[in-house]
Amino acid sequence: MQLNLKNPLVFFDLETTGINIVKDRIVEISYVKVYPNGKEGTKTRRINPEMPIPPESTAIHGITDEDVKDCPTFKEIAKSLASQIEGCDLAGFNSNRFDIPMLAEEFLRVGVDIDLNSRKFVDVQTIFHKMEQRTLSAAYKFYCDKTLDNAHSAEADTLATYEILKAQLDRYPDLQNDVNFLSQYSCFNNNVDFAGRMIYNDKGEEIINFGKYKGQKAEEVLKNDPGYYSWILNGEFPLNTKKMFTEIKLRGFNNK
């Protein structure tokens, strides 16, 4: 089934030094850019993370320090990458919880301004878990009747994810071939920040989604507990999370 697209849809996957969005770095990115007319383009790039790759991470994706020592840093490719995904919606496998927050963090870290909040995000894993409750390799076998060779290779995972979404659309009549629908369906929460530290309630208000203030309006917490904002800024939170808290804080000043 060809995807029904209004904007190009970029399926992507990251291999990283670890799973800590704040501390870890990307070592490989692969994407398939699917255009509304059905044209496809694939690209894979390895990246020097400027930090050692832990052995436990290499054991998963097979990428070593030696493999990336002469590769460009993320800062060196950030502007061209931002240009390549400009105006595109994004899709991946577990991308809403990891790949998109990690990618946004890398862009913010190197000072490249890219507005990901205006994009639609389709998380194929979420669709799979709501429908079948399995893993990427199992999903590929279940939907496509294929064995996923080179699992944890960014390119293999990306291509498999793209095939799975098309197969999901063929299998489930209730799934609409529409990125807006798929984006909403594959999102468990309406996140304010990519890491989900804040979510929107049904009134469009930012609600804190962790810690002692979980369930409370962020704007009220920042107003009533001045030290909370400093704690966020000085804590080990993603830059995107800090940015969204800052926007709420500034909005409070402007409304006075």
Side-chain angles (χ1 to χ4, degrees):
M1 175 183 287
Q2 180 173 320
L3 298 180
N4 180 22
L5 304 177
K6 295 179 180 178
N7 303 315
L9 182 60
V10 173
F11 290 81
F12 79 104
D13 184 70
L14 305 177
E15 302 302 339
T16 63
T17 60
I19 60 173
N20 187 312
I21 293 170
V22 176
K23 294 181 178 180
D24 284 306
R25 300 291 186 268
I26 297 171
V27 298
E28 185 175 69
I29 180 169
S30 184
Y31 66 83
V32 179
K33 188 173 184 178
V34 185
Y35 295 84
N37 64 4
K39 177 184 174 184
E40 301 171 10
T42 302
K43 189 166 187 177
T44 299
R45 300 197 71 168
R46 285 193 172 173
I47 299 168
N48 185 334
E50 302 181 274
M51 65 178 291
I53 302 174
E56 56 269 27
S57 297
T58 296
I60 294 172
H61 50 57
I63 301 173
T64 66
D65 293 333
E66 183 69 19
D67 293 332
V68 296
K69 68 176 184 178
D70 297 322
C71 294
T73 64
F74 189 85
K75 184 174 183 178
E76 291 171 328
I77 71 161
K79 289 184 179 179
S80 65
L81 178 60
S83 176
Q84 289 158 13
I85 65 174
E86 180 66 32
C88 301
D89 296 319
L90 301 175
F93 198 89
N94 194 34
S95 48
N96 284 356
R97 295 183 178 182
F98 180 73
D99 298 86
I100 287 171
M102 175 66 82
L103 185 62
E105 190 75 359
E106 289 277 34
F107 277 125
L108 285 169
R109 190 177 291 118
V110 299
V112 172
D113 186 17
I114 178 170
D115 182 13
L116 293 178
N117 290 301
S118 62
R119 315 297 176 85
K120 296 293 187 298
F121 303 138
V122 179
D123 193 327
V124 175
Q125 185 193 59
T126 302
I127 296 173
F128 182 44
H129 283 180
K130 284 186 174 182
M131 294 293 188
E132 304 295 344
Q133 305 290 311
R134 301 191 184 180
T135 65
L136 176 58
S137 295
Y140 197 50
K141 182 65 176 177
F142 180 84
Y143 289 110
C144 305
D145 196 24
K146 297 179 181 178
T147 300
L148 179 55
D149 296 323
N150 299 319
H152 296 296
S153 153
E155 183 170 337
D157 289 356
T158 298
L159 291 169
T161 300
Y162 175 35
E163 286 189 57
I164 289 167
L165 179 59
K166 292 190 291 182
Q168 286 173 330
L169 289 167
D170 284 329
R171 180 177 288 265
Y172 304 116
D174 292 343
L175 285 182
Q176 298 177 26
N177 190 352
D178 176 81
V179 169
N180 286 340
F181 174 86
L182 294 170
S183 175
Q184 293 173 7
Y185 188 84
S186 61
C187 181
F188 282 110
N189 291 315
N190 191 7
N191 291 348
V192 176
D193 63 317
F194 295 127
R197 297 293 190 171
M198 287 186 289
I199 59 176
Y200 291 107
N201 64 13
D202 56 6
K203 297 179 181 178
E205 299 167 323
E206 299 96 342
I207 304 298
I208 294 174
N209 197 34
F210 72 102
K212 65 179 182 179
Y213 290 125
K214 184 174 182 178
Q216 297 189 36
K217 295 179 184 178
E219 190 169 2
E220 292 183 356
V221 171
L222 293 175
K223 178 181 177 181
N224 297 329
D225 184 354
Y228 187 75
Y229 178 64
S230 296
W231 177 71
I232 291 290
L233 289 190
N234 293 319
E236 290 188 355
F237 293 98
L239 295 174
N240 174 255
T241 300
K242 295 178 181 181
K243 179 182 178 183
M244 301 312 295
F245 270 104
T246 298
E247 289 183 6
I248 297 170
K249 184 74 171 179
L250 292 175
R251 187 177 67 207
F253 289 143
N254 294 332
N255 290 336
K256 288 182 179 180

